Amino acid sequence: MVRQRLLLSSHQLVQGIRTRKDDTGRHPLTHLRASLLRRTGADDGSTAERYSQAPRTREAVFYYNVKMFDGDRLITTDTLYYDTQKSMAHVVGPSKITSKTGVIDTENAYFNSKSDQARLFARSTVTDKEKTITADSLYFDDKTGQSQGYGNVIYVDKKNKNALTCERFNYNEKTGYGYATGRAVAKDYSQEDTLYVHADSMKLYTYHINTD
């Protein structure tokens, strides 16, 4: 038996609310399943096997092997909660978010499709080409380029062969400026000998940011 893949998009979720009405003239989520799912035959196990809705809160819930497209971002997760009023997606369980900018591995995260802001919990990891950052909590704003990490932060740049560990990390991708606090340790292993720098707090600067 060929299982069908359910491809969801945040736009389709909102449109499902706006274009469908029940007998009372309201816009409940009970009609969303027919209006927001585009099915294609593919036996790859990518199927939302369960679905539920909450008409009053406008929240749709999809369970098991869920895939959702949000712009250029593909969210693959075990459980997806989507608030159509706030454009907020909440993934629970082993999840992977892929986009043009990188890959996120998490088990508990919130994404706002309007503001392009993300909140990651439960020891998540973000990979951008050869750079990775892991922390107990991570916060990102794609529009401003601002990122923050809290709790046993580990940053590794495989290309430039350096790394950083700390308890709190703040960095802006657009300005190249940031800081690290809480038992911060920077390591550079690009040369024959490894250089270590220890400090309670340290400022971070990226030079030639447009060519790195």
Side-chain angles (χ1 to χ4, degrees):
M1 178 179 179
V2 177
R3 304 174 69 187
Q4 291 183 312
R5 180 173 55 190
L6 308 185
L7 303 181
L8 321 183
S9 74
S10 58
H11 175 72
Q12 287 173 307
L13 283 162
V14 175
Q15 287 300 110
I17 291 287
R18 292 175 177 172
T19 60
R20 297 280 181 168
K21 294 183 179 181
D22 61 11
D23 295 336
T24 65
R26 292 174 296 181
H27 301 265
L29 281 166
T30 52
H31 298 293
L32 269 177
R33 194 170 197 180
S35 63
L36 64 82
L37 301 181
R38 177 166 56 88
R39 298 171 180 265
T40 58
D43 190 15
D44 64 352
S46 301
T47 305
E49 298 175 6
R50 289 187 184 180
Y51 165 86
S52 66
Q53 65 285 318
R56 292 184 179 179
T57 61
R58 303 289 177 87
E59 184 180 77
V61 187
F62 299 88
Y63 305 93
Y64 310 127
N65 302 319
V66 182
K67 285 190 175 184
M68 172 181 171
F69 285 97
D70 180 19
D72 69 344
R73 185 185 295 117
L74 170 61
I75 301 174
T76 305
T77 183
D78 178 74
T79 303
L80 169 68
Y81 299 85
Y82 192 86
D83 188 322
T84 58
Q85 291 182 320
K86 299 179 181 179
S87 298
M88 181 71 71
H90 178 200
V91 297
V92 178
S95 307
K96 184 180 291 291
I97 297 90
T98 58
S99 67
K100 294 180 180 179
T101 58
V103 179
I104 297 174
D105 291 287
T106 183
E107 293 189 359
N108 185 9
Y110 295 82
F111 300 90
N112 189 305
S113 59
K114 285 187 177 180
S115 64
D116 287 332
Q117 294 177 333
R119 294 175 290 156
L120 316 178
F121 305 100
R123 201 71 190 154
S124 302
T125 297
V126 178
T127 303
D128 181 4
K129 297 181 181 179
E130 296 188 60
K131 300 177 182 178
T132 63
I133 181 170
T134 303
D136 294 341
S137 302
L138 290 166
Y139 301 85
F140 293 94
D141 189 325
D142 284 345
K143 291 183 178 179
T144 64
Q146 193 69 30
S147 60
Q148 297 175 321
Y150 299 92
N152 190 19
V153 181
I154 301 175
Y155 170 81
V156 178
D157 185 343
K158 294 182 179 179
K159 179 180 179 180
N160 296 307
K161 297 184 178 180
N162 56 62
L164 172 71
T165 60
C166 60
E167 289 300 316
R168 182 180 179 184
F169 178 81
N170 190 304
Y171 184 74
N172 190 293
E173 287 284 350
K174 295 185 177 181
T175 65
Y177 172 77
Y179 64 85
T181 63
R183 295 174 297 185
V185 179
K187 180 174 67 172
D188 185 292
Y189 50 94
S190 60
Q191 306 299 321
E192 184 175 346
D193 294 326
T194 302
L195 173 66
Y196 291 89
V197 178
H198 300 253
D200 179 68
S201 300
M202 61 177 67
K203 292 184 178 181
L204 309 172
Y205 297 93
T206 302
Y207 297 97
H208 309 294
I209 190 170
N210 294 323
T211 60
D212 189 13

